[in-house]
Amino acid sequence: MSTTAPDPLATLGALPGVADAVDSVRKAVDRVYGHRVMRRRSSEVTAEAALRGARGSAALSGADWNLEEVRRRTDFSGDDEAQVIGAALRLTAEAGQLLSIWRQSPLRVLARLHLVAAGGAAPDDAVGRPRLAGEPVDEPLIEAPLPGADEVAGRLEGLSGLILAGSAAPALVTAAVAHGELLALRPFGSYNGLVARTAERIVLIGSGLDPKSICPAEAGHAEQGRAAYVAAFEGYLSGTPDGMAAWIAHCGRAVKLGVRESTAVCEALQRGAA
């Protein structure tokens, strides 16, 4: 008699309210993909979505710049805020290139993302590896207790195992868990929020929900505000069914707001205004 191991992500997908969030996100994504502009100018929409996503992710990490300033600047080597913006832009550009590796080795991708984000700003021996016992973490916004290095290593392996095993869970659920778990662990000495939101982006692209990367959830997270982001994340940390469902729903709203951003871009391109 054979037994099938439980699928924890699918269990989360069955929580009350999650199915409605998943369905609402899918319908929103399908609508923007059906826009007539996407048939001819999807690469322009993708590029603009990347810019807006990077700006949104940076805003949640304390660098809340105007979109036009992000678009205008070419040098991000200055103060701390400029470095955060530069890191977010590099991560967004890198995300789509790591899909095949993500399916084979999520931990390698996370190491690469931290390397890209740090861009030489951190000590060489601390870049691209989980922090060791006693090493500090510089992470604005998230003030939850910091797991120890051993717990981080174990939970990272667990997250990697979930990704590699695959799941019947909807993409939104997997993306929300990857995002939430990385925020909870803060495995690197810096840029954990940026890396966590990029991992969410990679899951949404690689799952086929958003294959052209035109639905910048990071912009949606930023639009909902830092306080709402932290409150929803506390639901994830609680581990309760209601808390997990609230976090997944929050991530779903972020994707839908990202869809709204790209729909506006499509409309502007259609009018010839962008």
Side-chain angles (χ1 to χ4, degrees):
M1 178 178 178
S2 63
T3 58
T4 302
D7 181 345
L9 294 176
T11 300
L12 293 176
L15 290 174
V18 171
D20 289 341
V22 168
D23 184 59
S24 179
V25 166
R26 167 55 71 185
K27 288 177 178 176
V29 171
D30 285 349
R31 281 195 297 272
V32 71
Y33 269 84
H35 197 287
R36 61 187 300 179
V37 165
M38 288 296 296
R39 293 196 295 269
R40 298 174 288 110
R41 304 178 71 177
S42 64
S43 61
E44 294 172 70
V45 181
T46 295
E48 185 65 18
L51 185 71
R52 296 181 183 216
R55 193 218 73 83
S57 191
L60 289 171
S61 287
D64 192 359
W65 288 18
N66 179 278
L67 180 64
E68 293 310 313
E69 176 65 10
V70 178
R71 195 191 308 279
R72 182 187 67 81
R73 286 280 288 268
T74 56
D75 181 6
F76 298 97
S77 62
D79 59 19
D80 288 347
E81 286 195 5
Q83 290 179 23
V84 169
I85 294 285
L89 289 167
R90 291 192 299 272
L91 286 172
T92 303
E94 187 81 2
Q97 303 177 40
L98 296 173
L99 296 177
S100 62
I101 304 174
W102 177 259
R103 298 184 186 104
Q104 299 170 3
S105 179
L107 297 184
R108 280 180 58 199
V109 169
L110 295 176
R112 172 63 184 171
L113 291 177
H114 187 242
L115 181 67
V116 168
D124 289 347
D125 64 352
V127 173
R129 63 155 174 78
R131 54 187 167 82
L132 303 177
E135 289 185 334
V137 172
D138 177 15
E139 188 55 49
L141 186 62
I142 303 302
E143 298 179 353
L146 198 64
D150 288 344
E151 181 180 350
V152 168
R155 287 172 63 177
L156 281 177
E157 288 290 346
L159 176 61
S160 176
L162 286 177
I163 300 298
L164 292 173
S167 173
L172 174 64
V173 173
T174 304
V177 168
H179 182 171
E181 189 68 356
L182 291 169
L183 272 187
L185 296 178
R186 281 148 288 161
F188 303 110
S190 58
Y191 298 114
N192 289 288
L194 296 180
V195 168
R197 290 183 288 274
T198 305
E200 179 183 50
R201 169 182 283 266
I202 289 172
V203 173
L204 294 173
I205 299 169
S207 67
L209 178 64
D210 182 22
K212 294 183 183 294
S213 192
I214 61 166
C215 306
E218 306 97 321
H221 284 300
E223 186 171 340
Q224 292 178 87
R226 300 177 88 194
Y229 185 73
V230 171
F233 174 60
E234 288 173 354
Y236 180 87
L237 286 177
S238 76
T240 65
D242 286 349
M244 296 295 288
W247 170 248
I248 294 166
H250 179 87
C251 291
R253 288 191 293 274
V255 175
K256 289 171 64 179
L257 288 167
V259 167
R260 190 173 72 179
E261 290 270 328
S262 288
T263 300
V265 171
C266 287
E267 294 295 328
L269 289 170
Q270 186 167 282
R271 293 192 305 268

